[in-house]
Amino acid sequence: MSGKEVYELSIRPITCFAFNKDCSQIAFSPNDNTVHIHKKAGNKWDKGFVLTEHGQRVTGMAWGPNSNRLVTCGADRNAYVWNFQDGHWKPMLVILRINRAATCVSWSPKEDKFAVGSSARLISVCYFEKENDWWVSKHIKKPIRSTVLCLDWHPNNLLLAAGSSDFKTRVFSAFIKEVDGKTNTDTIWGKKSSFGSCLSEFSNGRGGWVHGVSFSASGNKLAWVGHDSSISVVNAANDNKMATIKGDFLPFMACVWASENSIITAGYDYVPVLFSHDDSDSLTMGQKLDVPKKKESTGTVSAMAKFRTLDKQAQSADDSAADAGVKTTHQNAITQVQISAGSKSAATKFTTSGVDGRIVVWDVKSLESSIAGLKIS
């Protein structure tokens, strides 16, 4: 096995995607106002539903594995919770109360809340109000000073990490009494606090938009990647000790924990990259998880190949350029990374999407067997 499954789902960039619980269905947006839901059939994806409720570009989505509810958000300042009923996906109203574009969305671990980041310098934490049959929101505002670009929930369902374009990563209390009851307790990130309290604020000191943020499976570690070509990890179990690598790689767009000591990142270099964070809080760069394939010169380039190169790589194609083209699995920047099998404590598969319109499913065990010295654990 090559260690990966490659699917060409769109001729346009894939803005965001999400799997259902068993990965038999995938939802994605091809950089417009639509959401496409495909169902897996053998080695391909069959076209299914197209959701068109959004008026502008869809910017984020998340699929609750247990509730089977899909939540989407968009530049039209709206979010919808989709329920599959009577053979159709039906949207449910969400009262976001924002005056700028929504940028990202994430379900809480118990799926009784979800958070929406926005350009309005705030986070809307939404929960279901049964009396009115809609989703309402509470706002986290201070001390956010710019667009919220990424979100991730703590495993305890009470804390929320957010990265923004003010160069900061923060941990907030997302405790809502109407939902969480009396479960608010002290955590390793700070004492129990009311909704919206900022428990921690981090910066690597250099400055760069925070594109991706991720709690580890234990919730004791927090990783984030920035546009200053950096990755940082802070360990709350060790007095918030922070480790940062600022390398010669291009900026990463996303990160996710694959084990308690391993982080998978991806971005403008077109390939996933593994980082390790050991018990001494030392952060080290591991290996690139995609070995570039060698291309043989074909002598001639078809018209279709020329157009494909123009579309995906923004360059012209002739006999020599075709041979010197991108040799990685992804042909353009990777925009999202998700664990698709296993969990953050022991991932067995992860999935990436990119500007090239591809979805790639990577098998961890196959990668370990094909790349010498690689160990994701």
Side-chain angles (χ1 to χ4, degrees):
M1 184 178 175
S2 64
K4 54 182 177 286
E5 304 167 28
V6 183
Y7 302 104
E8 299 269 2
L9 293 187
S10 174
I11 61 173
R12 291 181 289 180
I14 293 179
T15 309
C16 49
F17 76 94
F19 283 108
N20 68 340
K21 185 175 183 177
D22 60 3
C23 294
S24 62
Q25 297 182 75
I26 185 172
F28 67 94
S29 178
N31 200 35
D32 60 15
N33 68 316
T34 63
V35 176
H36 297 249
I37 299 179
H38 290 189
K39 189 174 183 178
K40 194 165 188 182
N43 294 323
K44 64 178 183 178
W45 293 93
D46 288 342
K47 295 181 180 180
F49 300 92
V50 179
L51 313 181
T52 59
E53 196 73 17
H54 282 283
Q56 296 183 39
R57 189 170 69 99
V58 176
T59 55
M61 63 179 65
W63 202 325
N66 299 314
S67 62
N68 198 38
R69 290 191 297 237
L70 177 68
V71 60
T72 61
C73 67
D76 58 355
R77 301 170 295 175
N78 289 321
Y80 298 98
V81 175
W82 302 84
N83 294 281
F84 191 70
Q85 299 174 350
D86 302 324
H88 297 281
W89 286 95
K90 297 181 179 180
M92 185 173 289
L93 182 63
V94 180
I95 311 297
L96 282 185
R97 299 184 294 119
I98 58 176
N99 58 7
R100 295 290 187 274
T103 54
C104 51
V105 62
S106 178
W107 278 111
S108 68
K110 292 183 180 179
E111 299 175 35
D112 51 4
K113 299 178 287 187
F114 64 87
V116 179
S118 73
S119 301
R121 298 186 298 176
L122 58 83
I123 303 168
S124 298
V125 181
C126 307
Y127 61 98
F128 188 64
E129 198 172 71
K130 192 173 182 180
E131 294 80 7
N132 295 311
D133 194 32
W134 59 21
W135 291 79
V136 296
S137 64
K138 288 189 173 184
H139 286 173
I140 298 175
K141 294 182 178 181
K142 296 180 179 180
I144 303 170
R145 298 180 184 89
S146 193
T147 301
V148 178
L149 298 175
C150 51
L151 298 166
D152 193 44
W153 285 88
H154 190 277
N156 68 4
N157 207 68
L158 302 177
L159 303 182
L160 183 66
S164 61
S165 57
D166 61 5
F167 315 146
K168 300 291 180 62
T169 299
R170 300 178 177 90
V171 177
F172 294 99
S173 169
F175 169 77
I176 298 177
K177 187 175 182 180
E178 294 89 335
V179 178
D180 300 306
K182 297 182 180 180
T183 60
N184 195 15
T185 58
D186 292 348
T187 71
I188 198 169
W189 294 95
K191 294 183 178 180
K192 62 180 180 180
S193 303
S194 59
F195 175 83
S197 299
C198 183
L199 304 181
S200 301
E201 181 178 281
F202 304 104
S203 172
N204 62 21
R206 183 172 174 179
W209 290 10
V210 180
H211 290 302
V213 63
S214 180
F215 276 114
S216 65
S218 66
N220 293 341
K221 297 179 181 180
L222 180 66
W224 68 92
V225 291
H227 202 75
D228 58 343
S229 295
S230 70
I231 174 173
S232 303
V233 177
V234 64
N235 188 356
N238 190 14
D239 295 326
N240 288 343
K241 184 177 180 180
M242 180 166 42
T244 300
I245 290 180
K246 302 168 184 175
D248 56 1
F249 43 80
L250 293 177
F252 297 123
M253 290 294 290
C255 64
V256 67
W257 291 86
S259 71
E260 191 61 27
N261 296 309
S262 303
I263 312 158
I264 296 171
T265 64
Y268 290 101
D269 273 328
Y270 302 3
V271 297
V273 181
L274 178 69
F275 287 84
S276 297
H277 185 262
D278 59 27
D279 295 333
S280 63
D281 292 320
S282 174
L283 181 63
T284 56
M285 183 173 178
Q287 291 177 307
K288 293 182 177 181
L289 302 183
D290 185 21
V291 180
K293 54 189 176 183
K294 295 181 179 180
K295 288 188 177 181
E296 298 181 0
S297 179
T298 58
T300 60
V301 180
S302 67
M304 179 61 73
K306 289 184 178 181
F307 282 117
R308 187 179 296 116
T309 304
L310 280 167
D311 181 49
K312 290 187 176 182
Q313 301 172 26
Q315 65 183 32
S316 62
D318 54 21
D319 292 354
S320 59
D323 183 54
V326 178
K327 299 178 177 65
T328 53
T329 302
H330 275 289
Q331 301 290 293
N332 211 318
I334 298 172
T335 55
Q336 193 173 348
V337 181
Q338 283 189 9
I339 299 300
S340 49
S343 64
K344 285 184 177 180
S345 61
T348 56
K349 288 184 179 181
F350 66 93
T351 303
T352 56
S353 66
V355 178
D356 56 359
R358 288 184 173 181
I359 292 284
V360 182
V361 181
W362 308 79
D363 186 274
V364 171
K365 288 186 178 180
S366 294
L367 289 173
E368 290 179 339
S369 62
S370 61
I371 301 178
L374 177 66
K375 186 65 176 176
I376 302 177
S377 62

